[in-house]
Amino acid sequence: MLNTSLPNPPGAFAATQHDAGPMTVSTLGGVLGARVGGISLAEPLTPSDATRIKAAFAEHSMLLFDDQDLTPDHLIAFGNCFGEIEDERFIPKLEGHPGVHVLKGISGGKLTTQNLIWHVDHSYKERPLMMAALYALDVPTTGGDTLFANMAAAYEALSGRMKAYLEGLSAVHDVASYGLSSGLFDSVEARSAVGRMPPAVTHPLVVRHPVSNRKTLFVNQSWTTRILGLDPAESRAILDYLFAHATRPEFQYRLKWRNRTLCAWDNLALQHRGIPDYSGPRLMYRVSVAGTWRPS
């Protein structure tokens, strides 16, 4: 959960643009996302600006900050506004800057830890990441977009009967199972790492977001493997339907990256995935904030 109390409940901002001061927040998509302008994250945030950024984050679930000249230390400072920085175990680290990780990107169809299908970061842990942020250093002029999907909007679009059926059901989230079945752990070194991965956990299929209190559909194609209490064939059929439903185009926003853009998203509200349709470099820094909430 966020470090400080929000000044207004989520949804309190009805206008597209909030301009009480030099910082502006402009809505991007129909179901998620906003662009924050009039502020440099290379400068220390005032308490007022930090509060407004957190409020916009709670409302829009994903924020873009364009034309930012940021160092790794600036990224750490930004992440610290939301909570404790998480040290990732599967992403290369930036030497000398704990908590900052390097994503070099993989073009084409090769599957790696930096090029996954739809997923929620660390949903295979008891307490998934709260927030993640990417800062674009060198991105392709075409391709390499990132898709986000709003899990609350997906839940709200389910039929009443499906909502009633899903209530009370839980599913297994397992990082090792996905890696083994996908070919992600083809090498001897990668397979030897399976034993060091977190054990599988279970989370409800429907949860309430800890800040907005909105019900969300908490499944994702990468890590959710089966629904407890169902026959395997039943579980597979329902999960396949939910995976497809949760990522329908009307619940999405497609981010076309520009150099020097910082994107921060609510990992408890959105799924995301990268599109490997590019050639050439795609270099980014990443920071994330540890979760303190267990989906419930």
Side-chain angles (χ1 to χ4, degrees):
M1 195 175 293
L2 301 181
N3 280 2
T4 60
S5 299
L6 297 176
N8 294 289
F13 299 110
T16 298
Q17 184 111 338
H18 321 312
D19 51 9
M23 191 178 82
T24 61
V25 182
S26 304
T27 301
L28 289 173
V31 293
L32 68 99
R35 177 170 281 108
V36 181
I39 191 168
S40 169
L41 298 179
E43 303 296 330
L45 292 175
T46 67
S48 174
D49 283 344
T51 297
R52 292 187 67 205
I53 287 173
K54 290 182 182 182
F57 186 80
E59 180 186 3
H60 298 287
S61 302
M62 186 269 281
L63 300 179
L64 297 181
F65 302 81
D66 291 328
D67 302 318
Q68 300 289 321
D69 293 308
L70 304 178
T71 67
D73 288 337
H74 294 143
L75 297 176
I76 290 290
F78 177 79
N80 282 333
C81 290
F82 292 85
E84 180 183 352
I85 298 296
E86 173 106 339
D87 189 29
E88 295 276 1
R89 62 191 304 180
F90 300 128
I91 305 177
K93 298 172 175 59
L94 182 64
E95 186 175 355
H97 296 277
V100 178
H101 298 80
V102 181
L103 277 70
K104 293 185 178 179
I106 302 293
S107 61
K110 184 178 179 181
L111 183 67
T112 77
T113 55
Q114 297 184 34
N115 176 31
L116 294 169
I117 55 179
W118 286 102
H119 61 288
V120 172
D121 287 340
H122 296 190
S123 76
Y124 50 79
K125 290 185 176 181
E126 288 190 0
R127 291 170 175 80
L129 290 182
M130 179 264 168
M131 181 274 276
L134 288 174
Y135 178 58
L137 294 166
D138 189 6
V139 294
T141 54
T142 59
D145 300 346
T146 300
L147 303 180
F148 297 91
N150 186 317
M151 297 191 291
Y155 173 80
E156 291 166 2
L158 291 169
S159 68
R161 288 195 174 187
M162 181 57 76
K163 290 177 182 176
Y165 176 73
L166 297 179
E167 287 288 346
L169 292 178
S170 294
V172 174
H173 294 242
D174 185 2
V175 61
S177 176
Y178 172 77
L180 291 170
S181 65
S182 66
L184 185 61
F185 301 141
D186 276 344
S187 69
V188 173
E189 180 183 0
R191 286 196 297 272
S192 70
V194 170
R196 302 193 298 273
M197 292 181 177
V201 299
T202 61
H203 296 309
L205 290 179
V206 178
V207 304
R208 284 194 179 274
H209 190 280
V211 175
S212 72
N213 203 40
R214 295 179 69 188
K215 284 190 174 183
T216 69
L217 185 60
F218 202 75
V219 298
N220 67 91
Q221 190 177 0
S222 286
W223 316 127
T224 311
T225 59
R226 62 187 174 91
I227 301 174
L228 297 179
L230 298 186
D231 176 86
E234 294 172 333
S235 172
R236 185 77 268 148
I238 293 171
L239 284 179
D240 285 345
Y241 164 73
L242 294 177
F243 296 156
H245 171 81
T247 56
R248 280 163 41 182
E250 58 264 42
F251 309 142
Q252 293 183 24
Y253 178 80
R254 186 175 188 128
L255 172 57
K256 297 184 181 299
W257 287 98
R258 292 168 41 191
N259 287 344
R260 299 167 57 230
T261 289
L262 175 74
C263 173
W265 69 92
D266 185 340
N267 188 59
L268 305 178
L270 307 179
Q271 298 187 45
H272 65 283
R273 68 161 300 179
I275 305 298
D277 60 346
Y278 59 94
S279 60
R282 186 177 184 270
L283 178 63
M284 298 183 174
Y285 286 159
R286 183 182 188 275
V287 293
S288 57
V289 173
T292 59
W293 171 76
R294 178 162 186 169
S296 59

